[in-house]
């Protein structure tokens, strides 16, 4: 729950990690069933922690897409029910616009408060893209991954090493005690101009290194984790700085689950400082998926709609499994 000034009154995250861990990834049917079970208790807990009742809510926001339709529909229909019953507006939010808005709710220690315009690096389990953000709702995608998302690459390596799912945080922790210079892994696409990413070549090179090593010692695992993390972070930071330079924009935002990465954070502070760029990374709890960021994006849109006298059609709001950020309209339009 957010108050009118966008500060977070309560944020409840119901993780399905344990449910999906034994399958090594998200099982869509199980995900939507778990959403149905969780939705009401989560709403109740959010209200309770905020000391509010549902009638206090002036406007609702729910994720409209992109994502798994079965899961999206659960929260969207719950929000519709509440909005229609209470006669309040409902905003259907783009998941990635939520990630873009997350740093406006709070940045991690050492980072700058965000401001428009900025170039965003969105790095999660499902996305790796660079987006030029001129104003709320005015986005241009500059580049994206041609194959795996960065978080997915971490998750796959973790699975291969038998460490568990999701693997980003596990690899990150192991890498802290490893030697990143032991294995010379490739930095895919860095020599090519443009703003796209690719992680499949790095994945193959890492697999070949593992095969060459045979049975892995604990030190091998740490060194592999560190070398892999260094390669991913090198690519992410170089591409982000390249995009900011190309667009002549002096502020960058990095958001999504991978933005929790310890090496990525320290390298961002270092490189952006040297390049004279302002850099915003949300606090860790706002980097991974959360409802507060969806509320922040919904708040900006609700406000814009009220100001411009636009109407609301809560009942007609549908889920969108595929939806590009570039398709959005300005939030105040
Ligand atoms: O944004 P998010 O919570 O969900 C998606 O929308 O995908 O991101 C989850 C992803 C997972 O792939 C996870 O392995 C990765 O973020 N992740 C990390 C770290 N913490 C989470 N990757 C690298 N280092 C981390 N510390
Ligand atoms: Zn996400």
């Amino acid at each position: 729950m957010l108050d009118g000034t966008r500060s977070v009154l309560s944020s409840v995250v119901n993780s399905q990690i344990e449910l999906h861990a034994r399958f090594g990834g998200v099982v869509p049917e199980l995900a939507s069933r778990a959403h149905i079970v969780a939705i009401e208790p989560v709403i109740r807990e959010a209200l309770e922690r905020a000391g509010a009742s549902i009638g206090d809510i002036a406007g609702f926001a729910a994720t409209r897409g992109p994502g798994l339709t079965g899961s999206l529909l659960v929260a969207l229909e719950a929000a519709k029910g509440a909005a229609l019953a209470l006669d309040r507006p409902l905003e259907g939010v783009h998941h990635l616009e939520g990630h873009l808005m997350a740093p406006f709710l709070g940045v991690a220690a050492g980072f700058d408060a965000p401001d428009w315009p900025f170039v965003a690096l969105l790095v999660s389990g499902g996305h790796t893209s660079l987006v030029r953000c001129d104003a709320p709702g005015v986005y241009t995608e500059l580049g994206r991954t041609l194959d795996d998302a960065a978080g997915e690459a971490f998750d796959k390596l973790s699975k291969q090493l038998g460490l568990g799912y999701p693997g980003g945080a596990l690899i990150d922790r192991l890498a802290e005690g490893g030697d990143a210079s032991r294995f010379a892994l490739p930095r895919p696409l860095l020599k090519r101009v443009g703003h796209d990413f690719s992680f499949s070549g790095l994945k193959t090179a890492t697999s070949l290194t593992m095969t060459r090593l045979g049975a892995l010692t604990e030190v091998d695992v740490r060194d592999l984790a560190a070398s892999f993390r260094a390669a991913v972070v090198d690519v992410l930071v170089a591409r982000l700085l390249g995009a900011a330079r190309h667009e002549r924009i002096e502020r960058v935002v990095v958001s999504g689950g991978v933005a929790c990465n310890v090496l990525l954070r320290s390298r961002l502070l270092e490189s952006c400082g040297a390049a004279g760029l302002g850099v915003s990374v949300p606090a860790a709890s706002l980097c991974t998926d959360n409802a507060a960021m969806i509320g922040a994006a919904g708040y900006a849109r609700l406000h814009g709609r009220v100001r411009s006298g636009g109407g609301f059609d809560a009942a007609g709001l549908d889920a969108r499994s595929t939806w590009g950020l570039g398709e959005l309209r300005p939030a105040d339009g």
Side-chain angles (χ1 to χ4, degrees):
M1 249 187 98
L2 304 184
D3 75 7
T5 55
R6 288 210 225 150
S7 64
V8 182
L9 297 175
S10 64
S11 175
V12 179
V13 175
N14 182 282
S15 170
Q16 294 189 6
I17 285 176
E18 273 177 37
L19 174 69
H20 300 297
R22 68 194 133 122
F23 303 103
V26 174
V27 184
E29 183 59 27
L30 292 182
S32 51
R33 280 194 233 169
H35 273 74
I36 293 172
V37 175
I39 188 81
E40 203 188 321
V42 165
I43 293 171
R44 280 186 198 286
E45 194 177 337
L47 289 168
E48 206 174 289
R49 283 199 212 167
S53 72
I54 196 141
D56 296 329
I57 297 184
F60 292 88
T63 307
R64 187 180 175 202
L68 298 169
T69 311
S71 295
L72 292 168
L73 281 175
V74 176
L76 198 55
E77 294 302 317
K80 262 187 211 177
L84 291 171
L86 296 164
D87 194 23
R88 303 285 202 281
L90 166 64
E91 198 61 54
V93 173
H94 193 293
H95 178 74
L96 295 181
E97 184 167 55
H99 279 300
L100 292 177
M101 294 292 185
F104 289 89
L105 292 172
V107 288
F111 289 93
D112 306 304
D115 197 8
W116 310 89
F118 55 83
V119 170
L121 169 66
L122 291 174
V123 266
S124 68
H127 302 270
T128 298
S129 46
L130 282 163
V131 189
R132 180 189 166 108
C133 305
D134 285 290
V138 185
Y139 310 126
T140 314
E141 194 179 50
L142 305 169
R144 57 163 63 204
T145 181
L146 304 175
D147 38 64
D148 290 350
E152 191 180 0
F154 275 109
D155 294 340
K156 284 183 178 168
L157 175 63
S158 171
K159 201 168 170 181
Q160 231 180 335
L161 291 170
L163 299 172
Y165 163 88
L170 297 167
I171 301 275
D172 197 15
R173 215 170 306 134
L174 280 171
E176 287 294 295
D179 173 6
S181 63
R182 178 162 161 212
F183 304 110
L185 297 173
R187 272 64 174 157
L189 296 194
L190 263 202
K191 293 211 175 78
R192 206 185 295 172
V193 289
H195 306 299
D196 288 331
F197 301 88
S198 165
F199 296 104
S200 66
L202 171 61
K203 195 173 62 184
T204 309
T206 311
S207 294
L208 288 173
T209 306
M210 283 173 69
T211 311
R212 194 162 42 78
L213 288 169
L216 301 178
T217 65
E218 224 169 272
V219 174
D220 291 338
V221 172
R222 286 182 198 283
D223 293 349
L224 266 172
S227 303
F228 182 87
R229 180 179 73 162
V232 174
V233 168
D234 267 357
V235 173
L236 295 177
V237 173
R239 276 299 199 229
L240 175 61
L241 265 61
R245 211 177 308 126
H246 184 265
E247 297 298 312
R248 298 176 196 282
I249 286 184
E250 288 171 358
R251 270 183 293 263
V252 298
V253 159
V254 182
S255 190
V258 182
C260 292
N261 191 271
V262 173
L263 180 67
L264 178 59
R265 285 174 176 239
S266 64
R267 289 282 307 283
L268 283 169
L269 285 174
E270 213 177 275
S271 314
C272 293
L277 298 174
V279 53
S280 312
V281 177
S285 61
L286 293 165
C287 280
T288 45
D289 287 350
N290 65 87
M293 70 184 193
I294 303 300
Y299 177 82
R301 291 195 165 270
L302 282 173
H303 234 252
R305 212 184 281 266
V306 170
R307 261 201 316 269
S308 64
F312 294 92
D313 177 21
L317 206 56
D318 57 347
R320 292 195 60 176
S321 57
T322 55
W323 192 11
L325 263 180
E327 293 176 60
L328 294 181
R329 298 226 314 266
D332 60 0

